Amino acid sequence: MNNTPLWGMLEGQVIKDQYYLQQVLGAGTFGGVFRTNQVVRDTVLRTLATKVIFINQPELVSYQLQELQIALSFDHPHLLRCYDAGEAKIKALSISCLYLLMELAEETLENRLNRGNISKEEVKSIVKDIAKGLAYLHQKEQVHLDLKPANILKVNEHWKIGDYGLVRSLNPTRSYAETIHLLGTPLFSPPESYQGILSPAWDMWSLGIIIVMLLTSKYPIRFQTQYELQTKISNADFDNLNWNNLEQPWRKIVEGCLQVDRKQRWTAEDLLLIQFKTPLSEEEIKQKLHEGIGLGNLQKFSEALICFEEVLSHKDDEATAWFYSGLMLEELGNLEQAISHFDKCIEIDPEHHKAKNQKLSVLYLLGRLEF
């Protein structure tokens, strides 16, 4: 919440002779969100939220109008619903503004994180809702670019993505766009944000960070400066995260979202498939292991890894799947994650000598072991 005198001055003001701004719910550089009563003939018809955007910088008006246009075009149960938008003058202050009328949320995910004690079932429900919203956005060739707990809101027991100020459209003939401007919130921005590459994978990285925070109540990177944060993000150096403490299927989901190479990152559809699909039988698990080993022998390492990850999403104590997924990660150059997979294999089967030898080999490649 921003309690600057300017936002306080807007409380009690009226837009379009019927929208009474009651209380500041949140504010940024160019706009604020207010709890609002729609009043006609002294009767409150409904309470909603109103985003007020100042238009005192002409060079920004086209972007601000684009936000309104995009917000009104969305129609999905897990995107914050917007009812109307326009331009108005707040007569008492002689201020011109754009406005956007929206659903009133009960709380933000940021508030929910601060309250703590989030159960695994609640995490599952939150992530499912967000993933559904992202899948819709990405199918429409749109990327959010500022997915973070403060922009995820609870409305009538459902979680919804809000704040469309940075949403960008992609050319349907390309899978990404480029910009020279730094966008988003650094804590939740992916490695490619520093190169100005915009794609749906950006949002999936942000979701991966959010999932870690839901599960551990901690941001996964320690840093003192923005440069240190950028360096660690660019190298996926999650020094405040113990991978072994993440239970399945969350570990696989987080790993899938937090790949440095955006092309290797899971999509929203991948996440929904992995987390909510029908369980595999023991026979199907054996078939998946066989299929993965076969793909690995054909050097189709990414496809093989998907098979082993699918097994682990159903049966996280399958030592064979941990070992072979470690091998595939090693082949793909993800050496730190490969070590963690070999560790998990050894934890399940202390006599798994192949996993022990392969771990030593990777440690040697990393220069952390001398023979």
Side-chain angles (χ1 to χ4, degrees):
M1 182 171 176
N2 190 324
N3 289 316
T4 62
L6 177 60
W7 300 116
M9 287 172 61
L10 289 181
E11 291 181 347
Q13 299 302 316
V14 185
I15 291 176
K16 291 292 184 180
D17 297 324
Q18 60 178 318
Y19 300 111
Y20 289 73
L21 308 181
Q22 300 295 310
Q23 176 190 7
V24 181
L25 299 176
T29 305
F30 302 108
V33 178
F34 294 78
R35 179 188 297 274
T36 303
N37 285 339
Q38 182 180 11
V39 180
V40 176
R41 289 181 174 267
D42 297 324
T43 300
V44 177
L45 300 184
R46 59 178 171 172
T47 301
L48 37 71
T50 303
K51 184 171 185 178
V52 177
I53 304 171
F54 292 124
I55 50 177
N56 52 0
Q57 296 189 39
E59 68 275 13
L60 296 178
V61 173
S62 62
Y63 289 105
Q64 293 167 337
L65 287 171
Q66 183 182 48
E67 176 184 352
L68 304 189
Q69 187 177 38
I70 288 173
L72 291 173
S73 73
F74 292 151
D75 183 16
H76 190 272
H78 297 296
L79 296 182
L80 193 68
R81 194 169 301 282
C82 300
Y83 304 118
D84 193 13
E87 182 175 357
K89 188 168 186 177
I90 300 177
K91 297 176 182 177
L93 301 177
S94 297
I95 296 175
S96 292
C97 67
L98 300 176
Y99 67 91
L100 180 65
L101 304 178
M102 309 173 291
E103 290 181 294
L104 180 65
E106 300 156 26
E107 68 173 340
T108 67
L109 187 56
E110 184 175 58
N111 298 144
R112 181 66 190 90
L113 277 165
N114 290 337
R115 287 197 287 115
N117 298 318
I118 304 178
S119 69
K120 293 296 172 57
E121 280 305 308
E122 189 175 357
V123 173
K124 183 176 179 180
S125 176
I126 293 168
V127 173
K128 182 179 179 181
D129 287 354
I130 299 171
K132 286 183 175 181
L134 287 179
Y136 171 84
L137 268 178
H138 297 163
Q139 287 166 4
K140 289 177 66 68
E141 308 291 345
Q142 308 275 356
V143 287
H144 189 276
L145 300 177
D146 201 19
L147 191 71
K148 58 185 178 182
N151 289 339
I152 298 167
L153 306 103
K154 190 175 186 181
V155 182
N156 297 326
E157 301 305 314
H158 295 289
W159 291 95
K160 304 191 177 196
I161 300 169
D163 196 336
Y164 309 124
L166 292 181
V167 170
R168 293 292 182 270
S169 300
L170 300 176
N171 186 326
T173 63
R174 301 181 70 189
S175 60
Y176 69 97
E178 296 175 307
T179 180
I180 60 172
H181 303 291
L182 281 175
L183 299 173
T185 303
L187 289 175
F188 300 92
S189 296
E192 68 271 14
S193 66
Y194 300 105
Q195 287 77 51
I197 298 175
L198 317 179
S199 77
W202 180 311
D203 294 336
M204 295 309 296
W205 175 281
S206 304
L207 179 55
I209 297 292
I210 291 169
I211 294 172
V212 171
M213 295 176 67
L214 287 169
L215 294 170
T216 69
S217 301
K218 297 185 297 184
Y219 184 72
I221 296 175
R222 300 186 184 96
F223 67 97
Q224 296 295 324
T225 66
Q226 288 299 311
Y227 177 76
E228 185 180 10
L229 175 64
Q230 176 179 342
T231 300
K232 290 186 175 182
I233 286 175
S234 298
N235 295 293
D237 181 5
F238 302 112
D239 57 352
N240 200 32
L241 171 62
N242 186 338
W243 288 97
N244 291 326
N245 286 344
L246 295 182
E247 299 176 0
Q248 294 298 346
W250 296 113
R251 178 169 170 163
K252 295 282 86 186
I253 291 170
V254 171
E255 288 178 344
C257 291
L258 297 182
Q259 295 290 315
V260 171
D261 182 354
R262 64 183 177 82
K263 295 179 181 178
Q264 298 295 324
R265 241 168 264 158
W266 283 10
T267 66
E269 289 85 354
D270 290 335
L271 193 157
L272 291 167
L273 175 65
I274 291 294
Q275 187 171 356
F276 303 106
K277 65 185 176 182
T278 305
L280 295 176
S281 66
E282 287 296 324
E283 185 58 36
E284 288 171 326
I285 286 175
K286 291 179 183 178
Q287 291 174 358
K288 276 292 175 185
L289 287 172
H290 181 73
E291 180 184 351
I293 292 170
L295 289 167
N297 290 335
L298 294 172
Q299 297 188 347
K300 296 181 178 181
F301 305 124
S302 295
E303 294 176 46
L305 183 59
I306 291 173
C307 289
F308 299 128
E309 288 175 339
E310 187 171 355
V311 170
L312 291 171
S313 71
H314 293 282
K315 188 178 180 183
D316 68 350
D317 62 348
E318 181 58 63
T320 301
W322 282 111
F323 172 67
Y324 280 103
S325 61
L327 287 180
M328 298 306 104
L329 287 165
E330 181 183 351
E331 293 287 355
L332 291 167
N334 298 328
L335 301 185
E336 293 291 350
Q337 289 185 34
I339 290 173
S340 71
H341 282 232
F342 295 139
D343 281 339
K344 190 67 177 180
C345 175
I346 296 166
E347 178 186 329
I348 296 167
D349 181 4
E351 301 302 317
H352 203 296
H353 299 295
K354 287 184 177 180
K356 292 179 180 178
N357 291 336
Q358 206 63 35
K359 177 184 175 181
L360 292 174
S361 175
V362 175
L363 288 171
Y364 180 74
L365 288 173
L366 290 170
R368 302 212 301 257
L369 182 70
E370 295 183 3
F371 291 122

